[in-house]
């Protein structure tokens, strides 16, 4: 009995220590976001004077920053632009990557192996190495910059390698060939088999790739800043740049604008979080 009580007390202590460590790591990780939320409700003088002070120590608490940010960044127009680009690029990447990964898995020939190896190898190339050639070719030679379609095309291309890699792992380990053979016996074509049999089975990994790609497209600043210059076409991250002046910046409005940009993608993550975790685990296991 004594040994059991000692072992049980040790487990309780280890559990408490683990929880304390997890809470500390969570607070450390969330601290920047918490500071953004707190400072978005302060006036500029309070942010400059004491940026780390909590809300109950500040008398000038208000939501004026959100109203100002909403109007100054032309939120509705920027939201529309971000939504069009994000939804279009995400749908294209999801469908094309799923089809390509399915072809590579089911056609294990030399061409498929080389194509898959090249796509995986391309994942190590940093985008910064492609910036200057990208602007020179598409802007100088082709003159197709400053169009939403161009941005959607680039987002789709740069995201294909990772998406194909994830779909490849999921299809190889979780989609049985017997279902496809049964569909062929029943008279289905290759396209019908993919869209009616295989694609519904990819729901977990599709949810994962949708949230990962949507977050990347929605929050991206660098690529849209290279492609878009017209104020009517600016996405939400680009519209927040209007808060920065030549010699100063309205920090409270900046914080409020950042929160307005983050809220939609947070809602999407909360809705799909179970599918995201399941898809990541399933796609990583052969």
């Amino acid at each position: 009995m004594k040994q059991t009580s000692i072992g049980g007390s040790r487990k309780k202590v280890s559990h408490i220590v683990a929880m304390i460590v997890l809470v500390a790591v969570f607070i450390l990780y969330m601290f920047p976001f918490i500071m953004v939320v707190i400072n978005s409700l302060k006036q500029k003088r309070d942010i400059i004077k004491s940026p780390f002070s909590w809300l109950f120590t500040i008398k000038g608490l208000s939501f004026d920053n959100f109203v100002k940010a909403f109007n100054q960044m032309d939120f509705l127009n920027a939201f529309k632009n971000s939504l069009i680009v994000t939804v279009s690029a995400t749908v294209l990447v999801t469908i094309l990557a799923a089809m390509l990964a399915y072809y590579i898995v089911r056609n294990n020939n030399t061409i498929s192996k080389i194509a898959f190896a090249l796509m995986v190898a391309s994942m190590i190339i940093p985008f910064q190495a492609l910036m200057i050639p990208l602007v020179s070719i598409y802007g100088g030679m082709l003159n197709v910059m400053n169009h939403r379609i161009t941005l959607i095309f680039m987002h789709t291309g740069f995201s294909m390698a990772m998406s194909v890699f994830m779909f490849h792992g999921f299809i190889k380990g979780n989609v049985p060939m017997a279902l496809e053979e049964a569909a062929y016996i029943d008279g289905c074509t290759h396209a019908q088999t993919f869209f009616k049999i295989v694609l519904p089975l990819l729901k977990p990994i599709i949810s994962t790739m949708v949230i990962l790609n949507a977050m990347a497209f929605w929050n991206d600043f660098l690529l849209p800043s290279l492609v878009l210059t017209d104020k009517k076409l600016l996405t939400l991250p680009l519209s927040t740049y209007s808060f920065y002046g030549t010699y100063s910046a309205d920090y409270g409005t900046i914080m409020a604008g950042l929160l307005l940009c983050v809220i939609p993608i947070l809602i999407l993550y909360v809705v799909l979080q179970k599918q995201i975790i399941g898809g990541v685990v399933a796609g990583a296991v052969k």
Side-chain angles (χ1 to χ4, degrees):
M1 292 296 294
K2 290 183 178 180
Q3 292 180 352
T4 304
S5 61
I6 293 174
S9 61
R10 287 179 178 177
K11 289 184 178 180
K12 290 181 180 180
V13 171
S14 62
H15 179 72
I16 293 173
V17 172
M19 289 299 298
I20 293 174
V21 172
L22 288 175
V23 171
V25 172
F26 174 78
I27 294 175
L28 182 64
Y29 182 79
M30 291 298 296
F31 182 76
F33 182 76
I34 295 172
M35 287 294 99
V36 170
V37 175
I38 292 174
N39 287 315
S40 67
L41 299 172
K42 297 179 185 178
Q43 296 181 7
K44 183 177 180 180
R45 64 174 185 272
D46 295 325
I47 297 175
I48 296 175
K49 183 179 179 180
S50 53
F52 295 103
S53 60
W54 300 101
L55 294 179
F56 55 81
T57 63
I58 299 297
K59 296 181 180 180
L61 178 65
S62 69
F63 292 90
D64 294 338
N65 291 327
F66 288 91
V67 177
K68 185 178 179 181
F70 187 89
N71 295 326
Q72 186 172 338
M73 68 192 297
D74 195 5
F75 181 82
L76 294 179
N77 182 64
F79 179 83
K80 179 193 70 176
N81 294 330
S82 291
L83 189 64
I84 291 173
V85 171
T86 301
V87 171
S88 301
T90 302
V91 171
L92 284 175
V93 170
T94 302
I95 295 176
L96 295 177
M99 294 174 67
L100 180 56
Y102 173 71
Y103 177 83
I104 292 174
V105 172
R106 294 297 183 248
N107 295 272
N108 192 22
N109 51 42
T110 304
I111 297 176
S112 298
K113 292 179 180 179
I114 293 175
F116 184 68
L118 290 175
M119 296 194 75
V120 173
S122 68
M123 293 166 56
I124 67 174
I125 301 175
F127 174 74
Q128 289 76 7
L130 306 175
M131 286 172 49
I132 296 177
L134 191 72
V135 175
S136 300
I137 295 174
Y138 285 91
M141 297 175 59
L142 302 178
N143 196 24
V144 293
M145 290 296 191
N146 208 29
H147 294 283
R148 276 196 294 257
I149 295 177
T150 304
L151 182 59
I152 293 170
F153 172 76
M154 291 182 179
H155 274 318
T156 303
F158 286 124
S159 302
M160 280 295 293
M162 174 60 76
S163 300
V164 170
F165 177 76
M166 295 293 291
F167 276 111
H168 181 277
F170 187 90
I171 293 172
K172 199 168 185 178
N174 296 274
V175 180
M177 189 64 185
L179 292 177
E180 300 172 40
E181 293 174 348
Y184 293 140
I185 293 174
D186 291 338
C188 290
T189 62
H190 290 289
Q192 289 174 335
T193 302
F194 175 77
F195 286 103
K196 293 183 179 181
I197 304 299
V198 177
L199 196 60
L201 298 176
L202 303 181
K203 183 179 178 181
I205 191 64
I206 287 176
S207 300
T208 302
M209 297 315 301
V210 164
I211 186 63
L212 292 178
N213 288 323
M215 287 178 63
F217 301 152
W218 187 274
N219 296 325
D220 190 20
F221 179 87
L222 184 56
L223 182 57
S225 67
L226 297 174
V227 177
L228 304 176
T229 56
D230 189 353
K231 290 185 179 180
K232 295 181 180 179
L233 299 177
L234 297 183
T235 58
L236 280 175
L238 291 181
S239 63
T240 59
Y241 198 71
S242 62
F243 302 137
Y244 294 90
T246 304
Y247 302 103
S248 64
D250 192 347
Y251 298 107
T253 311
I254 292 172
M255 303 296 178
L258 292 176
L259 285 179
L260 290 176
C261 295
V262 169
I263 288 174
I265 207 69
L266 282 179
I267 295 174
L268 179 63
Y269 179 80
V270 171
V271 172
L272 298 178
Q273 59 179 336
K274 291 183 179 179
Q275 289 83 355
I276 294 167
I277 297 172
V280 170
V281 174
V285 178
K286 182 177 178 181

